[in-house]
Amino acid sequence: MKSRVIYIIVAIVVALALVMMGCTGEKPAQQEPVPSDTPSDTPSETASDDTETDYMNPVGVLPIVKEGQDITIKVFLRTTEMVTDLYTNDYTLYLTEKTGIKFEWEQPLEADAQDRLNLLINTDEYPDVIMSNFNRDSMNAWAIQGIIIPLDDLIEKYAPNTMKFLEEDPLRRVNLLAGDPPQIYAMPSCNECLHCYVDSGIMYYYYPFQKTLGLSEPKTIDEFTDNLRAIRDGDPNGNGKNDEIPMLVRKGQENNLFNIIANCYFPMGTTHPYGMTIIDDEPVFQWMNPKAKEVFKYIKMLYDEGLINKDFISLEDTDPIADGDIDIVGWQLGGHNDAIWKKYSGTGRWPMAVAIPAFKGPEGIGYSPYKGTYERSSPAVLITDKCKYPEVVVRLVDWMYELEPTLNGYIGPQGECWDWPDEGAVGLNGEPALYKILVNYGTQRVNSGWDQANPSLRTAAFRLGEQATDMDIIQDFYSNRTIEKAKEVAQLGSFNEINNYECAKVRLTTRLPDEYNVPPVIYTMEESQRIAEIRAVVDPFISQARVEFITGERDIEADWDDYIRELERMGLPEYLEIQKAALARMYPDRFKN
């Protein structure tokens, strides 16, 4: 049994190392999570007198705001089913207690957040700070317009944790840049995890159905088709009806479906619109590739034969079928294996979802969509020109990167959702453990944390620093999957992280090579505006056209040329020229304009 434990730890570490090698092939430095902060009346060794103000203690000293000072920061942050009220949220109260900062919240529901933010920007009523719900194009436009402020000097003076993080890997800085000339306009977040890098294209099969029917894991797209047909016709749930849905696709998962199948026909990136991919050092739109017709034909066949659900455009996550309450689904899509079979259902089904490598298409091509090459960090916090205390915000976010606030925000309070590791315990990487998770993520108490919306630096060292508990039980489950054992491992605090990596690393074996991914760029104001204009008409058109090809409202052969002409008329060739110019500016040694 010890050899099995060692095997799974080594496998996880090796898989993650492959991801973090990126396009250079070199192993990057690992970020050590910052230790938990302990309030002190004296400056820490990182504190310096020139960071102290009349209203703020030196760097390294909590609270951030001096006693008797009243500083309120207005923040935009979305709410979800797990974060219902930021005023009463446990993590928010913890932040105020530790830092002395008060908050005023603009907290729209997640579904309404983007529209609400756009309205606030357009009416000049935006708050001091914007957390999440923005993209790099918007960030760049706001930087050029002066809506948000550059942070380079503030980070250097007030954010030692951020400085350490950025210095360890130059690629972490790229996605934070905006404006002309480029400067850092965002405090980062980081989540170096395999399942995040491949979550636009993971497929899972439901193990009990495969076992009942005696099916093997498909290696080719033809074998996958046969597998789906066997589920449709074979009554694997044993209820005497052909009610099974071979593969369930929920509303909002259409892109995942297209991405997965497309990468069996040609290499296609998934981090840019319209399948933008670097082919022979030139950006191309793969959804204009003539081979895309074969992708549409294959998915249409799935639709026509009932191998995917007919309501894939409208099926809500709350539907009993999509919620895993009804035992009829054979395959699912999603970044996690609980996209259909929910963790909270108590059925024990979600651990029975098994990921597979990409299968090969007609020409032997088979890639797993992959976005880890350039996503070493993401912009998480913007400070607007309305903020009177930007240095306080930078101090706050930099402190939020430390271990204790990170965990409190990620999953919930210490002692309830997580705790310090047991004496002598090791992490998933075999090193001394940094923390112990007490509940599986997704099952924590509602409104106890920020459900990953807190800015954090969850590096590889952080993620694999989780205490490796009950590894022998989990490995035994992988060797002999039963519903009874699945219910047992579903209650283990470390199973969620271990299982995420186990599922994702199989996709890593067929990951899209780095050469095909489009590097991040910074657009000029004019370029950003023109791209926004083009996407405003192309995005809805291409989404609708793809569905119409699948459902038969458009004929894939007869209407293909019209589809291409319409995309050209809407400005996609111009969009491509803008992309070429931006790549040539950012990476002149590789790209020529």
Side-chain angles (χ1 to χ4, degrees):
M1 185 62 70
K2 288 183 178 179
S3 63
R4 290 179 179 176
V5 174
I6 293 172
Y7 170 79
I8 191 172
I9 292 175
V10 171
I12 292 172
V13 173
V14 170
L16 187 63
L18 286 171
V19 170
M20 297 314 301
M21 284 167 64
C23 59
T24 64
E26 299 178 357
K27 182 178 179 181
Q30 294 288 327
Q31 157 83 359
E32 291 298 329
V34 184
S36 177
D37 189 278
T38 302
S40 172
D41 293 329
T42 58
S44 70
E45 62 182 4
T46 62
S48 58
D49 290 341
D50 68 348
T51 64
E52 185 173 9
T53 67
D54 292 340
Y55 51 85
M56 188 172 63
N57 284 316
V59 168
V61 177
L62 287 180
I64 294 172
V65 174
K66 288 184 175 180
E67 186 175 354
Q69 296 294 318
D70 187 0
I71 293 180
T72 299
I73 304 296
K74 298 179 180 180
V75 183
F76 179 98
L77 182 66
R78 91 294 189 268
T79 56
T80 66
E81 61 182 7
M82 295 298 294
V83 185
T84 54
D85 184 0
L86 289 166
Y87 283 101
T88 60
N89 183 274
D90 286 2
Y91 186 57
T92 305
L93 300 176
Y94 164 83
L95 293 181
T96 294
E97 176 188 354
K98 291 290 188 180
T99 67
I101 302 169
K102 298 176 184 178
F103 299 94
E104 183 178 315
W105 296 102
E106 178 73 38
Q107 49 174 339
L109 294 173
E110 187 169 32
D112 304 323
Q114 190 60 61
D115 289 341
R116 179 60 180 166
L117 180 57
N118 292 341
L119 177 63
L120 293 173
I121 295 291
N122 292 335
T123 58
D124 197 37
E125 295 180 356
Y126 50 88
D128 303 324
V129 175
I130 301 170
M131 290 190 182
S132 70
N133 289 99
F134 59 87
N135 56 44
R136 291 189 65 248
D137 290 345
S138 296
M139 179 178 76
N140 189 59
W142 297 337
I144 294 172
Q145 295 171 50
I147 292 173
I148 57 176
I149 66 172
L151 305 178
D152 299 74
D153 293 342
L154 290 167
I155 288 173
E156 184 173 357
K157 185 172 184 179
Y158 294 106
N161 297 329
T162 309
M163 287 292 294
K164 181 174 185 288
F165 171 75
L166 297 179
E167 288 169 355
E168 287 179 339
D169 184 351
L171 283 176
R172 290 171 172 168
R173 188 174 183 270
V174 174
N175 285 325
L176 310 178
L177 298 176
D180 185 17
Q183 299 178 77
I184 293 178
Y185 274 86
M187 296 291 284
S189 263
C190 169
N191 194 7
E192 294 175 345
C193 64
L194 289 182
H195 60 279
C196 303
Y197 295 151
V198 297
D199 64 5
S200 59
I202 302 185
M203 302 184 71
Y204 301 88
Y205 64 77
Y206 184 49
Y207 179 80
F209 281 12
Q210 302 286 313
K211 183 177 180 182
T212 297
L213 297 173
L215 300 174
S216 300
E217 289 187 356
K219 302 293 191 299
T220 68
I221 199 165
D222 289 338
E223 291 176 1
F224 174 64
T225 308
D226 292 340
N227 192 292
L228 295 178
R229 288 169 177 157
I231 294 170
R232 179 193 62 192
D233 302 332
D235 188 28
N237 64 13
N239 66 356
K241 305 175 184 178
N242 289 122
D243 57 352
E244 285 80 3
I245 300 174
M247 181 166 65
L248 189 74
V249 182
R250 289 186 289 104
K251 179 180 178 181
Q253 289 187 322
E254 309 94 277
N255 275 339
N256 279 6
L257 175 63
F258 285 107
N259 292 342
I260 289 169
I261 302 304
N263 271 287
C264 297
Y265 288 85
F266 43 71
M268 191 184 80
T270 61
T271 58
H272 284 72
Y274 325 128
M276 188 187 292
T277 307
I278 301 298
I279 305 294
D280 297 328
D281 285 340
E282 287 283 335
V284 299
F285 291 130
Q286 292 290 54
W287 286 125
M288 298 179 75
N289 187 328
K291 289 185 179 180
K293 288 193 291 185
E294 302 308 312
V295 178
F296 294 149
K297 288 177 183 178
Y298 179 80
I299 299 176
K300 184 178 189 308
M301 179 274 295
L302 298 181
Y303 180 86
D304 290 343
E305 291 194 20
L307 301 179
I308 60 174
N309 48 301
K310 298 283 188 178
D311 59 351
F312 70 96
I313 292 300
S314 60
L315 184 68
E316 297 285 351
D317 191 37
T318 53
D319 186 281
I321 293 175
D323 201 32
D325 286 347
I326 303 174
D327 192 23
I328 63 174
V329 177
W331 287 76
Q332 70 152 38
L333 312 175
H336 306 79
N337 62 342
D338 65 326
I340 301 298
W341 302 285
K342 303 297 183 185
K343 294 176 183 176
Y344 52 72
S345 67
T347 63
R349 291 178 190 147
W350 72 273
M352 303 296 276
V354 183
I356 66 165
F359 36 76
K360 295 185 181 299
E363 299 180 11
I365 294 173
Y367 295 121
S368 306
Y370 177 75
K371 59 185 182 183
T373 306
Y374 298 109
E375 293 200 3
R376 303 295 176 83
S377 69
S378 59
V381 180
L382 307 179
I383 302 177
T384 74
D385 60 340
K386 295 183 183 294
C387 184
K388 297 179 180 178
Y389 302 100
E391 62 279 359
V392 172
V393 176
V394 169
R395 282 278 310 276
L396 167 69
V397 176
D398 193 68
W399 171 76
M400 292 170 75
Y401 295 147
E402 299 187 7
L403 191 54
E404 180 181 305
T406 290
L407 287 162
N408 281 339
Y410 162 65
I411 195 166
Q414 180 184 355
E416 175 185 342
C417 298
W418 70 277
D419 217 329
W420 301 119
D422 298 331
E423 184 176 356
V426 298
L428 302 178
N429 53 9
E431 300 295 325
L434 301 173
Y435 58 93
K436 175 172 62 176
I437 295 295
L438 303 179
V439 298
N440 274 308
Y441 177 79
T443 64
Q444 67 267 31
R445 176 170 51 84
V446 171
N447 216 38
S448 60
W450 278 10
D451 192 27
Q452 299 192 68
N454 55 306
S456 60
L457 304 181
R458 289 185 289 148
T459 61
F462 168 86
R463 295 196 67 105
L464 295 179
E466 178 182 325
Q467 180 172 319
T469 56
D470 302 308
M471 293 288 283
D472 54 342
I473 299 173
I474 295 170
Q475 185 59 30
D476 180 60
F477 164 72
Y478 286 140
S479 300
N480 182 22
R481 294 178 189 263
T482 66
I483 287 291
E484 291 72 25
K485 289 183 178 181
K487 290 180 179 179
E488 180 182 6
V489 298
Q491 303 304 313
L492 303 178
S494 62
F495 178 72
N496 185 70
E497 186 71 4
I498 293 170
N499 196 58
N500 279 340
Y501 278 104
E502 283 297 299
C503 290
K505 74 181 184 183
V506 301
R507 300 293 287 179
L508 182 66
T509 62
T510 51
R511 57 169 274 195
L512 186 73
D514 290 337
E515 64 191 80
Y516 296 115
N517 284 304
V518 182
V521 297
I522 299 174
Y523 301 110
T524 66
M525 186 62 169
E526 292 76 16
E527 289 171 340
S528 294
Q529 290 174 341
R530 184 57 184 140
I531 286 174
E533 292 169 355
I534 294 171
R535 292 197 59 180
V537 292
V538 173
D539 283 4
F541 170 78
I542 202 168
S543 295
Q544 180 177 346
R546 290 192 307 186
V547 171
E548 289 173 348
F549 280 132
I550 303 314
T551 59
E553 294 180 57
R554 288 176 184 256
D555 185 279
I556 296 173
E557 287 293 347
D559 296 331
W560 181 258
D561 289 344
D562 287 340
Y563 162 77
I564 296 297
R565 280 192 291 268
E566 191 69 8
L567 290 175
E568 291 173 344
R569 185 187 67 79
M570 291 177 174
L572 274 196
E574 182 183 355
Y575 186 173
L576 204 58
E577 290 305 311
I578 292 173
Q579 187 69 28
K580 290 179 180 179
L583 285 169
R585 284 197 306 270
M586 291 281 293
Y587 310 96
D589 292 339
R590 179 180 179 188
F591 300 101
K592 308 298 181 184
N593 191 5

